[in-house]
Amino acid sequence: MRLAAMKREREPSSKAYRQDRFENTERAAKETIEAEQQARREKTRRLKELRLAQQGAKNPAIK
């Protein structure tokens, strides 16, 4: 009986702990995905600027 009472007390905290871990993992995954997407956008922007600068250097009539 005592073991059953102890087990009942621990279940909610254990469930809450698992839920917190799940939420933290999910949040970390979202943040990682967002950071990767931002890095890709930044890289694309820099490459586009570099290409435009190179085209401008090759063809000064455009300026």
Short mmCIF file of all heavy atoms in Angstrom, two decimals:
data_model
loop_
_atom_site.label_atom_id
_atom_site.label_comp_id
_atom_site.label_asym_id
_atom_site.label_seq_id
_atom_site.Cartn_x
_atom_site.Cartn_y
_atom_site.Cartn_z
N MET A 1 0.83 -1.19 0.00
CA MET A 1 0.00 0.00 0.00
C MET A 1 0.87 1.26 0.00
O MET A 1 0.61 2.19 -0.73
CB MET A 1 -0.92 -0.04 1.23
CG MET A 1 -1.88 1.09 1.29
SD MET A 1 -3.18 0.76 0.10
CE MET A 1 -4.47 1.68 0.78
N ARG A 2 1.90 1.23 0.82
CA ARG A 2 2.78 2.39 0.90
C ARG A 2 3.48 2.62 -0.45
O ARG A 2 3.63 3.75 -0.89
CB ARG A 2 3.80 2.17 2.01
CG ARG A 2 4.72 3.32 2.18
CD ARG A 2 5.69 3.07 3.32
NE ARG A 2 6.76 4.03 3.23
CZ ARG A 2 7.32 4.60 4.25
NH1 ARG A 2 6.93 4.28 5.46
NH2 ARG A 2 8.27 5.47 4.09
N LEU A 3 3.90 1.55 -1.10
CA LEU A 3 4.57 1.66 -2.39
C LEU A 3 3.62 2.27 -3.42
O LEU A 3 4.01 3.13 -4.20
CB LEU A 3 5.05 0.29 -2.86
CG LEU A 3 5.78 0.26 -4.20
CD1 LEU A 3 7.04 1.11 -4.12
CD2 LEU A 3 6.14 -1.16 -4.57
N ALA A 4 2.37 1.87 -3.41
CA ALA A 4 1.38 2.40 -4.35
C ALA A 4 1.18 3.90 -4.10
O ALA A 4 1.06 4.68 -5.04
CB ALA A 4 0.07 1.66 -4.21
N ALA A 5 1.15 4.31 -2.85
CA ALA A 5 0.98 5.73 -2.52
C ALA A 5 2.20 6.52 -3.00
O ALA A 5 2.06 7.63 -3.54
CB ALA A 5 0.77 5.91 -1.03
N MET A 6 3.38 5.99 -2.82
CA MET A 6 4.60 6.67 -3.27
C MET A 6 4.59 6.79 -4.79
O MET A 6 4.95 7.83 -5.33
CB MET A 6 5.85 5.92 -2.82
CG MET A 6 6.13 6.04 -1.33
SD MET A 6 7.52 5.03 -0.81
CE MET A 6 8.81 5.58 -1.88
N LYS A 7 4.16 5.75 -5.44
CA LYS A 7 4.15 5.76 -6.90
C LYS A 7 3.17 6.81 -7.43
O LYS A 7 3.46 7.52 -8.36
CB LYS A 7 3.79 4.38 -7.43
CG LYS A 7 3.95 4.25 -8.92
CD LYS A 7 3.75 2.84 -9.39
CE LYS A 7 3.98 2.73 -10.87
NZ LYS A 7 3.77 1.39 -11.37
N ARG A 8 2.01 6.92 -6.80
CA ARG A 8 1.02 7.90 -7.23
C ARG A 8 1.56 9.32 -7.07
O ARG A 8 1.31 10.17 -7.89
CB ARG A 8 -0.27 7.74 -6.43
CG ARG A 8 -1.29 6.90 -7.15
CD ARG A 8 -2.61 6.84 -6.43
NE ARG A 8 -2.67 5.58 -5.70
CZ ARG A 8 -2.81 5.46 -4.38
NH1 ARG A 8 -2.91 6.51 -3.62
NH2 ARG A 8 -2.83 4.28 -3.81
N GLU A 9 2.31 9.58 -6.03
CA GLU A 9 2.85 10.91 -5.80
C GLU A 9 3.89 11.27 -6.86
O GLU A 9 4.01 12.41 -7.24
CB GLU A 9 3.47 11.01 -4.41
CG GLU A 9 2.44 10.98 -3.30
CD GLU A 9 3.08 10.91 -1.93
OE1 GLU A 9 4.31 11.08 -1.84
OE2 GLU A 9 2.36 10.66 -0.96
N ARG A 10 4.64 10.28 -7.32
CA ARG A 10 5.73 10.56 -8.24
C ARG A 10 5.26 10.69 -9.69
O ARG A 10 5.91 11.35 -10.47
CB ARG A 10 6.79 9.46 -8.15
CG ARG A 10 7.50 9.49 -6.83
CD ARG A 10 8.49 8.39 -6.72
NE ARG A 10 9.53 8.56 -7.74
CZ ARG A 10 10.54 7.75 -7.89
NH1 ARG A 10 10.67 6.71 -7.12
NH2 ARG A 10 11.44 7.96 -8.83
N GLU A 11 4.15 10.09 -10.04
CA GLU A 11 3.69 10.12 -11.43
C GLU A 11 3.48 11.53 -11.97
O GLU A 11 3.98 11.84 -13.04
CB GLU A 11 2.43 9.27 -11.60
CG GLU A 11 2.73 7.79 -11.65
CD GLU A 11 1.48 6.97 -11.79
OE1 GLU A 11 0.40 7.55 -11.97
OE2 GLU A 11 1.57 5.74 -11.69
N PRO A 12 2.77 12.41 -11.28
CA PRO A 12 2.55 13.74 -11.84
C PRO A 12 3.86 14.49 -12.09
O PRO A 12 4.03 15.10 -13.13
CB PRO A 12 1.70 14.45 -10.79
CG PRO A 12 1.02 13.36 -10.06
CD PRO A 12 2.00 12.21 -10.06
N SER A 13 4.79 14.43 -11.14
CA SER A 13 6.05 15.15 -11.34
C SER A 13 6.83 14.51 -12.48
O SER A 13 7.48 15.21 -13.26
CB SER A 13 6.87 15.18 -10.06
OG SER A 13 7.24 13.87 -9.68
N SER A 14 6.78 13.19 -12.58
CA SER A 14 7.47 12.51 -13.66
C SER A 14 6.84 12.89 -15.00
O SER A 14 7.55 13.15 -15.97
CB SER A 14 7.40 11.00 -13.46
OG SER A 14 8.02 10.34 -14.52
N LYS A 15 5.53 12.96 -15.03
CA LYS A 15 4.84 13.34 -16.25
C LYS A 15 5.17 14.79 -16.60
O LYS A 15 5.42 15.12 -17.76
CB LYS A 15 3.33 13.17 -16.09
CG LYS A 15 2.55 13.46 -17.34
CD LYS A 15 1.07 13.19 -17.16
CE LYS A 15 0.32 13.46 -18.42
NZ LYS A 15 -1.12 13.22 -18.26
N ALA A 16 5.18 15.64 -15.59
CA ALA A 16 5.52 17.05 -15.82
C ALA A 16 6.95 17.17 -16.31
O ALA A 16 7.25 17.97 -17.21
CB ALA A 16 5.33 17.85 -14.54
N TYR A 17 7.84 16.38 -15.76
CA TYR A 17 9.25 16.39 -16.19
C TYR A 17 9.36 15.97 -17.65
O TYR A 17 10.04 16.62 -18.43
CB TYR A 17 10.06 15.46 -15.29
CG TYR A 17 11.49 15.29 -15.73
CD1 TYR A 17 12.43 16.30 -15.55
CD2 TYR A 17 11.90 14.11 -16.34
CE1 TYR A 17 13.74 16.14 -15.97
CE2 TYR A 17 13.21 13.94 -16.76
CZ TYR A 17 14.13 14.96 -16.57
OH TYR A 17 15.42 14.81 -16.98
N ARG A 18 8.67 14.91 -18.01
CA ARG A 18 8.69 14.45 -19.41
C ARG A 18 8.10 15.49 -20.34
O ARG A 18 8.62 15.75 -21.43
CB ARG A 18 7.94 13.12 -19.55
CG ARG A 18 8.69 11.93 -18.99
CD ARG A 18 8.08 10.61 -19.45
NE ARG A 18 6.65 10.51 -19.25
CZ ARG A 18 6.06 10.07 -18.14
NH1 ARG A 18 6.79 9.68 -17.12
NH2 ARG A 18 4.75 10.01 -18.06
N GLN A 19 7.01 16.13 -19.89
CA GLN A 19 6.38 17.17 -20.71
C GLN A 19 7.34 18.35 -20.89
O GLN A 19 7.48 18.87 -21.99
CB GLN A 19 5.08 17.64 -20.04
CG GLN A 19 4.34 18.69 -20.84
CD GLN A 19 3.79 18.16 -22.15
OE1 GLN A 19 3.52 16.97 -22.31
NE2 GLN A 19 3.63 19.04 -23.11
N ASP A 20 8.01 18.76 -19.82
CA ASP A 20 8.98 19.86 -19.92
C ASP A 20 10.12 19.50 -20.86
O ASP A 20 10.54 20.32 -21.68
CB ASP A 20 9.55 20.22 -18.54
CG ASP A 20 8.55 20.96 -17.67
OD1 ASP A 20 7.54 21.46 -18.21
OD2 ASP A 20 8.79 21.06 -16.45
N ARG A 21 10.62 18.29 -20.74
CA ARG A 21 11.70 17.86 -21.63
C ARG A 21 11.25 17.86 -23.07
O ARG A 21 11.98 18.30 -23.95
CB ARG A 21 12.20 16.46 -21.25
CG ARG A 21 13.23 16.48 -20.16
CD ARG A 21 13.85 15.15 -19.90
NE ARG A 21 14.24 14.45 -21.11
CZ ARG A 21 14.49 13.17 -21.18
NH1 ARG A 21 14.41 12.42 -20.10
NH2 ARG A 21 14.84 12.59 -22.30
N PHE A 22 10.03 17.38 -23.31
CA PHE A 22 9.49 17.36 -24.67
C PHE A 22 9.38 18.79 -25.21
O PHE A 22 9.80 19.07 -26.33
CB PHE A 22 8.12 16.68 -24.68
CG PHE A 22 7.42 16.78 -26.01
CD1 PHE A 22 7.79 15.96 -27.05
CD2 PHE A 22 6.40 17.70 -26.21
CE1 PHE A 22 7.16 16.05 -28.29
CE2 PHE A 22 5.78 17.80 -27.44
CZ PHE A 22 6.15 16.97 -28.47
N GLU A 23 8.83 19.69 -24.40
CA GLU A 23 8.67 21.08 -24.84
C GLU A 23 10.02 21.74 -25.08
O GLU A 23 10.19 22.48 -26.05
CB GLU A 23 7.84 21.86 -23.82
CG GLU A 23 6.38 21.44 -23.80
CD GLU A 23 5.60 22.04 -22.65
OE1 GLU A 23 6.19 22.79 -21.85
OE2 GLU A 23 4.40 21.75 -22.56
N ASN A 24 10.98 21.48 -24.21
CA ASN A 24 12.30 22.05 -24.39
C ASN A 24 12.97 21.52 -25.65
O ASN A 24 13.60 22.27 -26.39
CB ASN A 24 13.19 21.77 -23.17
CG ASN A 24 12.78 22.57 -21.95
OD1 ASN A 24 12.09 23.57 -22.06
ND2 ASN A 24 13.19 22.11 -20.78
N THR A 25 12.82 20.24 -25.90
CA THR A 25 13.39 19.62 -27.10
C THR A 25 12.73 20.19 -28.34
O THR A 25 13.39 20.53 -29.32
CB THR A 25 13.22 18.09 -27.06
OG1 THR A 25 13.85 17.59 -25.89
CG2 THR A 25 13.82 17.43 -28.27
N GLU A 26 11.42 20.32 -28.28
CA GLU A 26 10.67 20.86 -29.42
C GLU A 26 11.08 22.31 -29.68
O GLU A 26 11.29 22.71 -30.83
CB GLU A 26 9.18 20.77 -29.13
CG GLU A 26 8.30 21.07 -30.31
CD GLU A 26 6.83 20.83 -30.02
OE1 GLU A 26 6.44 20.82 -28.84
OE2 GLU A 26 6.08 20.65 -30.99
N ARG A 27 11.21 23.10 -28.63
CA ARG A 27 11.62 24.50 -28.78
C ARG A 27 13.03 24.60 -29.35
O ARG A 27 13.29 25.41 -30.25
CB ARG A 27 11.53 25.24 -27.44
CG ARG A 27 11.87 26.72 -27.54
CD ARG A 27 11.65 27.50 -26.26
NE ARG A 27 12.34 26.93 -25.12
CZ ARG A 27 11.75 26.32 -24.09
NH1 ARG A 27 10.45 26.21 -24.04
NH2 ARG A 27 12.46 25.84 -23.09
N ALA A 28 13.93 23.76 -28.85
CA ALA A 28 15.31 23.76 -29.35
C ALA A 28 15.34 23.38 -30.83
O ALA A 28 16.09 23.97 -31.62
CB ALA A 28 16.16 22.81 -28.54
N ALA A 29 14.52 22.42 -31.22
CA ALA A 29 14.47 22.01 -32.63
C ALA A 29 13.96 23.15 -33.50
O ALA A 29 14.52 23.42 -34.57
CB ALA A 29 13.58 20.78 -32.78
N LYS A 30 12.92 23.83 -33.05
CA LYS A 30 12.38 24.96 -33.82
C LYS A 30 13.42 26.06 -33.95
O LYS A 30 13.58 26.65 -35.02
CB LYS A 30 11.12 25.52 -33.15
CG LYS A 30 9.91 24.66 -33.34
CD LYS A 30 8.70 25.26 -32.65
CE LYS A 30 7.49 24.37 -32.77
NZ LYS A 30 6.33 24.93 -32.06
N GLU A 31 14.13 26.35 -32.85
CA GLU A 31 15.15 27.40 -32.89
C GLU A 31 16.28 27.02 -33.83
O GLU A 31 16.79 27.87 -34.57
CB GLU A 31 15.70 27.65 -31.48
CG GLU A 31 14.70 28.34 -30.57
CD GLU A 31 15.16 28.41 -29.13
OE1 GLU A 31 16.24 27.89 -28.79
OE2 GLU A 31 14.42 29.01 -28.32
N THR A 32 16.66 25.75 -33.84
CA THR A 32 17.71 25.28 -34.73
C THR A 32 17.28 25.42 -36.19
O THR A 32 18.04 25.91 -37.03
CB THR A 32 18.07 23.82 -34.43
OG1 THR A 32 18.51 23.73 -33.07
CG2 THR A 32 19.17 23.30 -35.35
N ILE A 33 16.06 25.01 -36.49
CA ILE A 33 15.54 25.11 -37.85
C ILE A 33 15.49 26.56 -38.29
O ILE A 33 15.89 26.91 -39.41
CB ILE A 33 14.15 24.44 -37.96
CG1 ILE A 33 14.30 22.92 -37.81
CG2 ILE A 33 13.46 24.80 -39.27
CD1 ILE A 33 13.00 22.19 -37.61
N GLU A 34 15.00 27.44 -37.41
CA GLU A 34 14.92 28.87 -37.75
C GLU A 34 16.30 29.45 -37.99
O GLU A 34 16.50 30.24 -38.92
CB GLU A 34 14.20 29.64 -36.65
CG GLU A 34 12.71 29.35 -36.58
CD GLU A 34 12.05 29.93 -35.34
OE1 GLU A 34 12.72 30.63 -34.57
OE2 GLU A 34 10.84 29.70 -35.17
N ALA A 35 17.27 29.06 -37.17
CA ALA A 35 18.64 29.55 -37.34
C ALA A 35 19.24 29.08 -38.66
O ALA A 35 19.91 29.85 -39.36
CB ALA A 35 19.51 29.10 -36.16
N GLU A 36 18.98 27.82 -39.02
CA GLU A 36 19.48 27.30 -40.29
C GLU A 36 18.84 28.03 -41.47
O GLU A 36 19.51 28.36 -42.45
CB GLU A 36 19.21 25.79 -40.39
CG GLU A 36 20.08 24.96 -39.47
CD GLU A 36 19.68 23.50 -39.42
OE1 GLU A 36 18.59 23.15 -39.95
OE2 GLU A 36 20.45 22.71 -38.87
N GLN A 37 17.54 28.30 -41.38
CA GLN A 37 16.86 29.01 -42.46
C GLN A 37 17.40 30.43 -42.59
O GLN A 37 17.62 30.92 -43.70
CB GLN A 37 15.35 29.04 -42.20
CG GLN A 37 14.68 27.70 -42.37
CD GLN A 37 13.23 27.72 -41.96
OE1 GLN A 37 12.78 28.61 -41.22
NE2 GLN A 37 12.47 26.72 -42.41
N GLN A 38 17.62 31.09 -41.45
CA GLN A 38 18.16 32.45 -41.47
C GLN A 38 19.57 32.45 -42.09
O GLN A 38 19.89 33.33 -42.88
CB GLN A 38 18.21 33.02 -40.04
CG GLN A 38 18.78 34.42 -39.97
CD GLN A 38 17.96 35.45 -40.73
OE1 GLN A 38 16.76 35.31 -40.88
NE2 GLN A 38 18.62 36.46 -41.22
N ALA A 39 20.38 31.46 -41.73
CA ALA A 39 21.74 31.37 -42.28
C ALA A 39 21.69 31.16 -43.79
O ALA A 39 22.48 31.76 -44.54
CB ALA A 39 22.50 30.24 -41.60
N ARG A 40 20.76 30.33 -44.26
CA ARG A 40 20.61 30.10 -45.70
C ARG A 40 20.20 31.38 -46.41
O ARG A 40 20.72 31.72 -47.48
CB ARG A 40 19.58 29.01 -45.97
CG ARG A 40 20.19 27.65 -46.27
CD ARG A 40 19.17 26.69 -46.87
NE ARG A 40 17.93 26.58 -46.14
CZ ARG A 40 17.72 25.77 -45.11
NH1 ARG A 40 18.68 25.00 -44.66
NH2 ARG A 40 16.56 25.74 -44.51
N ARG A 41 19.23 32.11 -45.83
CA ARG A 41 18.79 33.37 -46.44
C ARG A 41 19.93 34.38 -46.50
O ARG A 41 20.12 35.06 -47.51
CB ARG A 41 17.61 33.96 -45.66
CG ARG A 41 16.30 33.22 -45.92
CD ARG A 41 15.11 33.98 -45.36
NE ARG A 41 15.15 34.11 -43.92
CZ ARG A 41 14.56 33.28 -43.06
NH1 ARG A 41 13.88 32.26 -43.51
NH2 ARG A 41 14.65 33.48 -41.76
N GLU A 42 20.70 34.46 -45.42
CA GLU A 42 21.83 35.38 -45.37
C GLU A 42 22.89 35.00 -46.41
O GLU A 42 23.43 35.87 -47.10
CB GLU A 42 22.43 35.37 -43.96
CG GLU A 42 23.57 36.34 -43.77
CD GLU A 42 23.17 37.80 -43.87
OE1 GLU A 42 21.99 38.13 -43.67
OE2 GLU A 42 24.06 38.62 -44.17
N LYS A 43 23.17 33.72 -46.53
CA LYS A 43 24.15 33.26 -47.51
C LYS A 43 23.68 33.59 -48.93
O LYS A 43 24.46 34.07 -49.76
CB LYS A 43 24.37 31.76 -47.36
CG LYS A 43 25.39 31.18 -48.32
CD LYS A 43 25.56 29.68 -48.12
CE LYS A 43 26.53 29.10 -49.12
NZ LYS A 43 26.64 27.65 -48.98
N THR A 44 22.40 33.35 -49.20
CA THR A 44 21.84 33.64 -50.51
C THR A 44 21.95 35.14 -50.81
O THR A 44 22.32 35.54 -51.91
CB THR A 44 20.36 33.19 -50.58
OG1 THR A 44 20.30 31.80 -50.31
CG2 THR A 44 19.75 33.48 -51.93
N ARG A 45 21.63 35.96 -49.82
CA ARG A 45 21.72 37.41 -50.01
C ARG A 45 23.15 37.85 -50.30
O ARG A 45 23.39 38.65 -51.21
CB ARG A 45 21.20 38.12 -48.75
CG ARG A 45 21.13 39.65 -48.89
CD ARG A 45 20.77 40.33 -47.59
NE ARG A 45 21.74 40.10 -46.53
CZ ARG A 45 22.92 40.73 -46.44
NH1 ARG A 45 23.27 41.62 -47.34
NH2 ARG A 45 23.74 40.46 -45.45
N ARG A 46 24.10 37.31 -49.54
CA ARG A 46 25.51 37.68 -49.75
C ARG A 46 25.99 37.24 -51.14
O ARG A 46 26.70 37.98 -51.81
CB ARG A 46 26.39 37.05 -48.67
CG ARG A 46 26.31 37.77 -47.35
CD ARG A 46 27.44 37.39 -46.42
NE ARG A 46 27.68 35.96 -46.35
CZ ARG A 46 27.19 35.16 -45.40
NH1 ARG A 46 26.45 35.64 -44.45
NH2 ARG A 46 27.46 33.88 -45.41
N LEU A 47 25.61 36.03 -51.55
CA LEU A 47 26.02 35.54 -52.87
C LEU A 47 25.41 36.40 -53.98
O LEU A 47 26.07 36.70 -54.98
CB LEU A 47 25.62 34.08 -53.06
CG LEU A 47 26.43 33.07 -52.26
CD1 LEU A 47 25.82 31.67 -52.38
CD2 LEU A 47 27.88 33.06 -52.72
N LYS A 48 24.16 36.79 -53.80
CA LYS A 48 23.50 37.63 -54.80
C LYS A 48 24.21 38.98 -54.90
O LYS A 48 24.48 39.46 -56.01
CB LYS A 48 22.03 37.83 -54.41
CG LYS A 48 21.23 38.59 -55.44
CD LYS A 48 19.77 38.67 -55.01
CE LYS A 48 18.94 39.41 -56.03
NZ LYS A 48 17.53 39.49 -55.60
N GLU A 49 24.54 39.57 -53.75
CA GLU A 49 25.27 40.84 -53.76
C GLU A 49 26.64 40.69 -54.42
O GLU A 49 27.07 41.55 -55.19
CB GLU A 49 25.43 41.37 -52.33
CG GLU A 49 24.14 41.87 -51.72
CD GLU A 49 24.31 42.27 -50.27
OE1 GLU A 49 25.40 42.08 -49.70
OE2 GLU A 49 23.33 42.79 -49.69
N LEU A 50 27.31 39.59 -54.14
CA LEU A 50 28.63 39.34 -54.73
C LEU A 50 28.52 39.20 -56.24
O LEU A 50 29.31 39.78 -56.98
CB LEU A 50 29.25 38.08 -54.11
CG LEU A 50 30.64 37.69 -54.62
CD1 LEU A 50 31.65 38.77 -54.27
CD2 LEU A 50 31.06 36.36 -54.00
N ARG A 51 27.52 38.45 -56.71
CA ARG A 51 27.32 38.28 -58.14
C ARG A 51 27.03 39.61 -58.82
O ARG A 51 27.58 39.92 -59.89
CB ARG A 51 26.17 37.31 -58.41
CG ARG A 51 26.65 35.95 -58.88
CD ARG A 51 25.50 35.05 -59.21
NE ARG A 51 25.20 34.32 -57.98
CZ ARG A 51 24.00 34.13 -57.48
NH1 ARG A 51 22.93 34.56 -58.08
NH2 ARG A 51 23.83 33.49 -56.35
N LEU A 52 26.18 40.42 -58.20
CA LEU A 52 25.87 41.73 -58.77
C LEU A 52 27.11 42.61 -58.82
O LEU A 52 27.33 43.34 -59.79
CB LEU A 52 24.76 42.41 -57.97
CG LEU A 52 23.37 41.80 -58.11
CD1 LEU A 52 22.39 42.44 -57.13
CD2 LEU A 52 22.86 41.93 -59.53
N ALA A 53 27.92 42.55 -57.77
CA ALA A 53 29.15 43.34 -57.74
C ALA A 53 30.12 42.88 -58.83
O ALA A 53 30.75 43.70 -59.49
CB ALA A 53 29.81 43.23 -56.37
N GLN A 54 30.20 41.58 -59.03
CA GLN A 54 31.10 41.05 -60.06
C GLN A 54 30.59 41.43 -61.45
O GLN A 54 31.37 41.77 -62.32
CB GLN A 54 31.23 39.54 -59.94
CG GLN A 54 32.07 39.11 -58.77
CD GLN A 54 32.08 37.60 -58.58
OE1 GLN A 54 31.23 36.88 -59.14
NE2 GLN A 54 33.00 37.12 -57.77
N GLN A 55 29.29 41.38 -61.65
CA GLN A 55 28.73 41.77 -62.94
C GLN A 55 28.97 43.25 -63.19
O GLN A 55 29.27 43.66 -64.30
CB GLN A 55 27.23 41.48 -62.99
CG GLN A 55 26.90 40.02 -63.14
CD GLN A 55 25.41 39.76 -63.12
OE1 GLN A 55 24.62 40.66 -62.86
NE2 GLN A 55 25.02 38.51 -63.33
N GLY A 56 28.85 44.05 -62.14
CA GLY A 56 29.11 45.49 -62.26
C GLY A 56 30.55 45.78 -62.61
O GLY A 56 30.84 46.70 -63.38
N ALA A 57 31.47 44.99 -62.07
CA ALA A 57 32.89 45.18 -62.37
C ALA A 57 33.20 44.78 -63.80
O ALA A 57 34.05 45.38 -64.45
CB ALA A 57 33.74 44.38 -61.38
N LYS A 58 32.52 43.74 -64.28
CA LYS A 58 32.76 43.27 -65.64
C LYS A 58 32.16 44.22 -66.67
O LYS A 58 32.69 44.39 -67.77
CB LYS A 58 32.17 41.87 -65.86
CG LYS A 58 32.91 40.77 -65.16
CD LYS A 58 32.22 39.44 -65.44
CE LYS A 58 32.87 38.30 -64.67
NZ LYS A 58 32.15 37.06 -64.88
N ASN A 59 31.04 44.81 -66.32
CA ASN A 59 30.32 45.63 -67.27
C ASN A 59 30.08 47.01 -66.66
O ASN A 59 29.01 47.29 -66.13
CB ASN A 59 29.00 44.96 -67.61
CG ASN A 59 28.34 45.56 -68.84
OD1 ASN A 59 28.82 46.57 -69.34
ND2 ASN A 59 27.27 44.95 -69.29
N PRO A 60 31.05 47.92 -66.73
CA PRO A 60 30.91 49.23 -66.09
C PRO A 60 29.82 50.10 -66.72
O PRO A 60 29.39 51.07 -66.12
CB PRO A 60 32.28 49.88 -66.26
CG PRO A 60 33.09 48.99 -67.11
CD PRO A 60 32.33 47.73 -67.36
N ALA A 61 29.32 49.76 -67.88
CA ALA A 61 28.27 50.55 -68.52
C ALA A 61 26.96 50.46 -67.75
O ALA A 61 26.10 51.32 -67.88
CB ALA A 61 28.07 50.07 -69.95
N ILE A 62 26.78 49.40 -66.95
CA ILE A 62 25.55 49.21 -66.19
C ILE A 62 25.43 50.30 -65.12
O ILE A 62 24.36 50.81 -64.86
CB ILE A 62 25.50 47.81 -65.55
CG1 ILE A 62 25.42 46.75 -66.64
CG2 ILE A 62 24.34 47.69 -64.60
CD1 ILE A 62 25.45 45.33 -66.12
N LYS A 63 26.51 50.67 -64.54
CA LYS A 63 26.50 51.70 -63.49
C LYS A 63 26.21 53.01 -64.10
O LYS A 63 25.54 53.81 -64.09
CB LYS A 63 27.84 51.77 -62.79
CG LYS A 63 28.15 50.54 -62.00
CD LYS A 63 29.46 50.71 -61.29
CE LYS A 63 29.79 49.48 -60.47
NZ LYS A 63 31.03 49.57 -59.80
#
